[in-house]
C-alpha cells in the first residue's frame, strides 16, 4: 500500500470514510466542498484503487500545523497505515518549515506511540479553534490536544 496526493477522483471516497467516524463524533465532519478546497494538502493510502486511509495537513501559522481528518477504513486498522500517514504529514510539515504539529484527538495512545505529548488546550494558538465553530461539541470539547516538536532530534 502506498501514499498518494489526493485527487478529485478520491473525493467521494474521502468524504465517505470521514463520515463513518464523523457520524460517531470521533472526528469533525467535512463537507464535500471543504475536501475539495483542501485537496492539495490531503493524502490517501490506497489498496489497489480503494482509498483505505486519509489524512489532511493544515498549516496554521509560521511555526504550527495541525493534522486533521486522519481516518483509516475499519478493516484496515492496526496495520501501520495510520502511522505511515502521520509520518508523511510530519515529513511534509518539516519540508514546509513548520516546527510543531498538533492534533485534537481521542486517540491519545496512538499519538503517544507516534511521538506526540499531551498539551493544555489553553496554550494553543486561537487559529486552532477556527474549525471548532462547525463542531457539534462546540463549548463542551472533550478532545485531547497533543503536540509533536519537529525540530527535536
Ligand atoms: C487512530 C487511527 C488513525 C490509527 O490508525 P491505525 O492504522 O489503526 O494505527 P497503526 O496501525 O499505524 O498503529 C500505530 C501504533 O499505534 C497503536 N494504536 C493504534 N490505534 C490504537 C488505539 N486505538 N489505542 C492504542 N494504540 C493504538 C498500534 O498498536 C501501533 O502500536 P505499535 O507501534 O506498538 O504496534 C485509526 O484507528 C482510526 O482511523 N481511528 C478512527 C478515527 C480516529 O479516531 N482518527 C484520529 C483522529 S485525530
Amino acid at each position: 500500500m502506498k501514499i498518494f496526493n489526493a485527487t478529485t477522483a478520491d473525493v467521494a471516497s474521502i468524504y465517505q470514510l470521514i463520515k463513518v467516524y464523523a457520524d460517531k463524533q470521533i472526528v469533525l465532519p467535512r463537507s464535500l466542498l471543504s475536501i475539495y478546497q483542501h485537496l492539495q494538502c490531503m493524502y490517501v493510502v490506497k489498496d489497489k484503487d480503494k482509498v483505505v486511509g486519509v489524512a489532511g495537513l493544515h498549516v496554521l501559522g509560521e511555526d504550527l500545523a495541525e493534522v486533521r481528518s486522519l481516518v483509516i477504513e475499519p478493516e484496515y486498522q492496526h496495520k501501520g497505515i495510520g502511522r505511515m500517514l502521520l509520518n508523511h504529514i510530519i515529513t511534509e510539515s518539516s519540508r514546509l518549515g513548520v516546527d510543531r504539529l498538533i492534533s485534537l484527538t481521542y486517540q491519545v495512545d496512538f499519538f503517544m506511540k507516534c511521538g506526540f505529548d499531551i498539551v493544555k488546550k489553553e496554550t494553543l494558538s486561537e487559529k486552532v479553534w477556527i474549525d471548532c465553530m462547525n463542531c457539534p461539541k462546540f463549548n463542551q470539547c472533550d478532545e485531547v490536544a497533543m503536540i509533536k516538536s519537529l525540530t527535536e532530534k
Side-chain angles (χ1 to χ4, degrees):
M1 278 175 276
K2 273 179 60 181
I3 297 180
F4 300 89
N5 293 325
T7 70
T8 54
D10 301 320
V11 169
S13 303
I14 293 171
Y15 175 81
Q16 285 303 331
L17 192 46
I18 293 173
K19 191 174 183 307
V20 168
Y21 299 106
D23 285 351
K24 296 177 184 162
Q25 301 197 349
I26 292 173
V27 299
L28 276 178
R30 295 287 292 266
S31 66
L32 282 170
L33 178 61
S34 163
I35 296 167
Y36 278 118
Q37 286 176 332
H38 296 96
L39 204 55
Q40 64 272 36
C41 57
M42 297 196 80
Y43 307 97
V44 292
V45 169
K46 290 186 181 179
D47 182 12
K48 302 191 176 77
D49 284 340
K50 183 183 175 183
V51 173
V52 298
V54 174
L57 167 60
H58 290 237
V59 178
L60 302 174
E62 190 181 357
D63 65 347
L64 189 67
E66 181 181 0
V67 53
R68 289 194 190 159
S69 305
L70 174 61
V71 290
I72 311 300
E73 175 88 24
E75 61 265 35
Y76 284 82
Q77 288 183 6
H78 300 289
K79 296 178 188 294
I81 299 172
R83 188 198 290 273
M84 183 164 79
L85 271 166
L86 193 50
N87 282 339
H88 188 70
I89 295 275
I90 289 167
T91 302
E92 282 298 292
S93 301
S94 292
R95 185 183 65 77
L96 290 164
V98 169
D99 292 337
R100 297 177 301 152
L101 183 64
I102 61 149
S103 172
L104 297 168
T105 187
Y106 299 109
Q107 301 289 349
V108 173
D109 292 342
F110 166 75
F111 278 95
M112 278 195 156
K113 285 196 166 172
C114 293
F116 284 66
D117 296 312
I118 294 174
V119 65
K120 283 192 175 149
K121 288 182 204 163
E122 304 76 54
T123 63
L124 297 175
S125 155
E126 66 279 1
K127 291 173 198 138
V128 172
W129 310 116
I130 291 168
D131 272 14
C132 299
M133 309 279 192
N134 305 317
C135 180
K137 293 187 179 175
F138 184 68
N139 268 347
Q140 45 190 4
C141 175
D142 54 355
E143 288 183 320
V144 178
M146 301 194 69
I147 196 159
K148 181 176 172 66
S149 167
L150 307 182
T151 51
E152 278 170 19
K153 296 287 172 219

